[in-house]
Amino acid sequence: MKVLLVDDEADIRTIGRLSLERIGKLETLVAASAREAIVLAKADRPDVILLDVLMPEIDGLATFAALREDPALATIPVVFLTGRASEADALRYLAIGAIGVIAKPFDPMELPAAVHRMFEHWMLRNLGGGSE
Amino acid sequence: MVDVDPLAELAEVRRAYAARLPEKLAELCAAVEAARAGENQLIEAHGLAHRLAGSAGAYGHPAVSAAVAEIEHALAAALADPAERDGLIAAAITRVGAIGPR
């Protein structure tokens, strides 16, 4: 599985990559901004995008909207990564089409498994003939 | 090429982060004090607190993360309520001065 991690914070990109790539053994791409994320997603299509919500210039929600408007990227599942994971926010993110929400700070030992679970659940629901 | 144990890598990045944490907290302290000057500085301080709250927990400093998250929330409230801004920033300054690496 190939994951694209998008976060403006360098420390989060460092530990997120270490977590996903070295601990979780997932192929991992990282981007520091929405623009970089879209370029990377087009060039090297990830299976799932892990997208920070609060970013300067173009935030995670606007990035999500841009991904959904691009036919080449619209079907890539997105997990939001947020420090503001109130239940209402999480439900809102799921309602607009995210496949999951992960709260920051995350545990680097648990992050890969959480991403896997969300991706596999989405695969079963959307590609495996699920009933939802 | 030697394949380094991922857990050893994690320990090493956490050690490096811990070494930089006092500097990060000093930077936050300065940013929160500067937030009294105006909305742009307040936005900057809020962003810094948000980033530090997220990273400190991931690097193994949950108490620092929680304390900085409280400051982040206070600064968000200050952004939302100009009438209460001075008091909220003053409280945030007191809080940030009390944080130390755990």
Side-chain angles (χ1 to χ4, degrees), chain B:
Chain B
M1 190 174 141
V2 178
D3 189 22
V4 179
D5 175 6
L7 297 183
E9 279 187 66
L10 179 61
E12 175 55 27
V13 298
R14 283 181 157 168
R15 187 204 58 73
Y17 184 91
R20 290 185 286 121
L21 190 52
E23 181 187 337
K24 289 173 175 293
L25 289 168
E27 189 184 351
L28 177 63
C29 191
V32 174
E33 289 193 7
R36 288 184 291 202
E39 182 149 324
N40 288 340
Q41 291 88 342
L42 178 53
I43 291 168
E44 179 65 29
H46 175 259
L48 195 58
H50 172 76
R51 293 192 293 277
L52 186 53
S55 66
Y59 280 86
H61 302 274
V64 173
S65 176
V68 175
E70 284 186 19
I71 292 163
E72 178 195 353
H73 295 147
L75 296 175
L79 275 168
D81 188 354
E84 299 295 329
R85 186 166 292 175
D86 289 348
L88 288 164
I89 292 173
I93 290 169
T94 302
R95 279 179 175 169
V96 76
I99 300 173
R102 305 296 200 271

